[in-house]
Amino acid sequence: MFPGTINKKQVALHLSGWLLLLAVWYFLRYEDFSSPGLAFRITLLKVADLAIMVYITNYLLLPKLLYRKKYLLFFLSYLGMIVASSLFKMKAIGVLMHHPDVFDIAGNLKARIYDNFLPHFFLVTAGAALKLWFDHNRMQKRMADLAREKAEAELHFLKSQINPHFLFNSLNAVYFLINKDNTDARKALHTFSDMLRFQLYGTGEDRISIEQEIAYLEDYIALQRLRLNENNRIAFHKSPGLTGYKLEPFLLLPLVENAFKHLSHFGPEQLNEISLDLSCRDGNLLFTVENTREAIAANGSAGGIGLANVQRRLQLLYPGKHRLLVDDQPDRFRIQMEIPV
C-alpha cells in the first residue's frame, strides 16, 4: 500500500484490522479503568501508537535501512523508536488519567520495561515479521515470473531463428545466381546478408557498440536508397568522436524506419528529405530524425507501433533518464531521442 498509489481495498483491509484490534482490546481491558470513556481513550491511544510504529517500521525502516543492508542503523533506529514511543505513551496515559506520575520510571524501571517496552518490541516485531514474509513471497513470485518470461523469450527467439536461417542460406544461393555484371544487385544482396547476419549473431549481448549500430543504420539506409529516385535526399550526420559508447541493439533503427515509412512523395518541384543527426553531449546520446511528409498524410499518425515500442523500451531501460520529443507538423515530422551512455 505504501509507498505508491493508494489501494482502496488494502486501506479498507488495514482499517478493518485496526478497528477489530481496538474493539477486542477495549472489551478485554475496559473494566480496569474508572469509566468506559477513559478506557476507550486510552485504548485508542495504545492502538494508534502501535499502528504508527508498525507503519514506520514496515514502510520506512525496512525498505530504507534493512533492505539496503544498513543493519546497525536499522537496529538503532528501531530501538530508538520503541523507547521514544513507549515514553510518549506512558506520559500521555498519565495526562489522560490526571495522574502524570502514574508511569514514572524512576524507581520502577523493571516494571516499566515489562509493561511497556517489551510489549511494544514484540508487537512491532511481529508486524515486521509479517511484512517480511509477504515481501519474501512477492519477491519469489516475481523471480518465478521473470524466469518464466525469460524462458518464453528464449524459446520465441529460437523459433524465430528458423526462418531467418533459411532465408540467410537462400540469399547465399541467390547471390551466385545473379549475373556478375549486375554489381548493384550483388552489392545490395550482400548488404542485406550482412544485416541479417548481424541480427542473427551480432545482438546476443545486452548492449552493442555505437559503431555497430551506426554500421547497421548505414546499411539500412543504403538499401532504402535503391528504391528512391533522384528527387530524394538522405543526409546522415555523425559527430566526430562517437566511439566507445554502448547502447541496446536496434534502439535507433525504429526512428529511421519510421522516417522512410512516412517519407513524402513530392514531384520534381520539391525534394523529399530525410535528415539524421547523431551526436553526444554531456554524457547523453542525441539522435534526431526529420523527414518531409505530405500534408494529406498529416491527418494520421506519423508514428505508430514502432515508436510506441521505442517509448516502452526507453521507459524500461532508462526510467526517468530519457527524452523522446516529437514535433509533428503538417509537412514535416521530427523526433529527437536523448539517452545516457
Side-chain angles (χ1 to χ4, degrees), residues 162-308:
I162 297 175
N163 286 336
H165 272 301
F166 172 77
L167 180 59
F168 180 66
N169 293 330
S170 300
L171 286 174
N172 285 333
V174 173
Y175 178 83
F176 290 102
L177 294 176
I178 297 177
N179 192 309
K180 293 184 178 181
D181 294 333
N182 195 342
T183 56
D184 289 341
R186 279 184 159 238
K187 182 178 179 181
L189 192 60
H190 182 71
T191 299
F192 183 67
S193 298
D194 287 342
M195 293 176 65
L196 187 60
R197 183 181 293 107
F198 179 71
Q199 287 189 2
L200 288 174
Y201 308 115
T203 59
E205 301 295 330
D206 291 336
R207 295 194 171 201
I208 61 173
S209 68
I210 187 65
E211 292 90 343
Q212 289 176 294
E213 186 78 5
I214 290 175
Y216 190 87
L217 291 180
E218 289 177 333
D219 285 343
Y220 177 81
I221 293 170
L223 285 179
Q224 293 296 324
R225 288 182 188 273
L226 295 176
R227 67 180 184 85
L228 300 176
N229 55 36
E230 296 179 354
N231 198 42
N232 294 271
R233 183 171 64 189
I234 315 299
F236 187 7
H237 174 262
K238 303 173 290 294
S239 296
L242 277 174
T243 58
Y245 300 112
K246 294 278 189 177
L247 72 162
E248 283 65 25
F250 307 124
L251 195 58
L252 308 182
L253 180 63
L255 306 188
V256 183
E257 289 179 330
N258 186 75
F260 279 101
K261 178 181 178 181
H262 297 282
L263 180 62
S264 58
H265 298 85
F266 297 141
E269 70 284 352
Q270 186 177 354
L271 281 175
N272 304 289
E273 300 178 276
I274 293 180
S275 173
L276 300 93
D277 185 89
L278 186 62
S279 62
C280 193
R281 182 183 64 194
D282 299 328
N284 289 334
L285 188 72
L286 279 77
F287 188 46
T288 304
V289 181
E290 185 174 356
N291 63 277
T292 55
R293 58 185 298 200
E294 297 167 69
I296 190 173
N299 295 326
S301 173
I305 297 177
L307 293 187

Side-chain angles (χ1 to χ4, degrees), residues 303-315 324:
I305 297 177
L307 293 187
N309 288 342
V310 170
Q311 181 67 47
R312 178 58 179 162
R313 288 183 68 192
L314 292 176
Q315 291 172 352
L324 192 66

